Amino acid sequence: MVLLLILLASSLLADDYLDLNFFIEPQFAEDEIYLKNFAIYNIRNDSIPQTNIFAGKLMNTHTSDSLVVEFINLCKSKIIAPTDYCFYDTNLEKPLLISNIESDSVAIIKHKIVSVDSFKVGIFSLYTPDFMVKNKIAANAKFDFNFLEIAKQQFDYLREESDFVILLSNFSKYIDSDIVAEIPVDVVVSFDYKGKKNGKLANGKTMFYSILSKSEYYGKLRLTYQNGKIAQKWQKVKL
């Protein structure tokens, strides 16, 4: 009985980890998507759960929706927020993560919760109105311009349902600062097409991370649960 109690106490005190791998603007070549998908799928650590997240421009050329859909269906990630998909090819086998666009033809989720033994991470995604302006988007996609209210709704929900909240943002860093002034998420990961300097945003609480994966790097956010708190560490990793 004593040994059992010792083992139970040890398990409760043990650290718990989660790696979130962010592929932002990967811009894969058409003839490399199978090879790249294989390499990404085999990013693994025997003791640390991994979740891959894709956002921004997935392919390196302006191409038809069909190729983007082929890659989305091929890749193993359940968290995808592409900016080169225009809602014409509706044969998606998995939903997109977009909190402020709705469609009657494509499956969209407003948030995603990733769980490990000791904690949960809530993720939601906001697109900029520029996405609708710069691209010829199919009529089945409807943009909601009240993004600040949507951000608040998603944050309030995820704050109750998870222990750590991440905003995946297509806005500029300046707008991100305005957003987190109202909703102090733990982390903003940018999927704007321009790289930005990492660091705390103006609210002094939210960490901002930016990486462009077209140079074959990805951003690894390692979350560590220890003594009731979640610590974070961001790394730029070569694929």
Side-chain angles (χ1 to χ4, degrees):
M1 180 63 72
V2 173
L3 179 59
L4 180 61
L5 290 174
I6 291 174
L7 291 173
L8 178 60
S10 298
S11 66
L12 292 174
L13 294 173
D15 296 351
D16 203 0
Y17 300 90
L18 172 65
D19 280 353
L20 300 173
N21 302 318
F22 290 88
F23 296 85
I24 308 298
E25 292 279 311
Q27 300 191 25
F28 297 119
E30 179 178 357
D31 60 354
E32 293 182 339
I33 60 173
Y34 286 91
L35 178 63
K36 294 296 185 183
N37 182 67
F38 177 81
I40 292 166
Y41 179 63
N42 283 282
I43 294 171
R44 58 183 60 183
N45 184 302
D46 290 340
S47 59
I48 299 178
Q50 308 279 318
T51 294
N52 295 329
I53 300 166
F54 294 85
K57 189 176 180 183
L58 302 183
M59 310 306 297
N60 71 345
T61 58
H62 182 71
T63 185
S64 65
D65 268 7
S66 59
L67 183 59
V68 179
V69 167
E70 180 183 354
F71 173 75
I72 291 173
N73 291 342
L74 175 70
C75 77
K76 304 298 182 181
S77 176
K78 295 181 180 179
I79 303 179
I80 303 175
T83 57
D84 52 351
Y85 171 69
C86 297
F87 292 83
Y88 289 99
D89 187 328
T90 59
N91 294 311
L92 287 168
E93 297 174 0
K94 58 190 71 175
L96 305 179
L97 177 67
I98 311 175
S99 301
N100 59 337
I101 294 178
E102 295 185 355
S103 173
D104 57 9
S105 304
V106 175
I108 294 176
I109 55 175
K110 303 298 184 182
H111 52 256
K112 180 72 176 178
I113 296 177
V114 180
S115 301
V116 289
D117 289 342
S118 303
F119 63 97
K120 297 179 181 179
V121 178
I123 305 171
F124 68 104
S125 170
L126 293 177
Y127 277 51
T128 173
D130 290 348
F131 170 73
M132 305 295 288
V133 175
K134 293 179 179 179
N135 301 284
K136 186 179 180 181
I137 305 299
N140 67 74
K142 306 298 182 183
F143 189 90
D144 191 330
F145 289 89
N146 195 6
F147 63 88
L148 287 175
E149 180 60 28
I150 290 172
K152 185 178 185 305
Q153 291 171 0
Q154 293 302 316
F155 175 71
D156 288 346
Y157 175 81
L158 292 173
R159 180 175 54 183
E160 295 297 323
E161 298 295 326
S162 60
D163 307 289
F164 194 92
V165 181
I166 296 174
L167 165 58
L168 192 60
S169 174
N170 189 221
F171 285 93
S172 70
K173 191 174 181 180
Y174 299 105
I175 301 297
D176 291 335
S177 289
D178 291 340
I179 294 172
V180 302
E182 301 294 329
I183 56 160
V185 298
D186 296 287
V187 163
V188 171
V189 177
S190 174
F191 67 106
D192 187 14
Y193 68 97
K194 294 181 179 179
K196 302 291 193 307
K197 184 178 180 180
N198 295 337
K200 283 187 178 180
L201 290 174
N203 67 1
K205 300 177 181 179
T206 301
M207 287 300 301
F208 174 90
Y209 298 119
S210 173
I211 191 166
L212 298 179
S213 296
K214 59 186 177 183
S215 56
E216 298 196 345
Y217 286 90
Y218 65 94
K220 179 183 291 292
L221 180 61
R222 174 163 295 176
L223 301 178
T224 304
Y225 182 89
Q226 185 179 44
N227 298 326
K229 296 182 179 181
I230 300 174
Q232 57 179 283
K233 181 181 180 181
W234 177 266
Q235 296 174 279
K236 181 180 178 180
V237 183
K238 180 75 172 179
L239 179 61

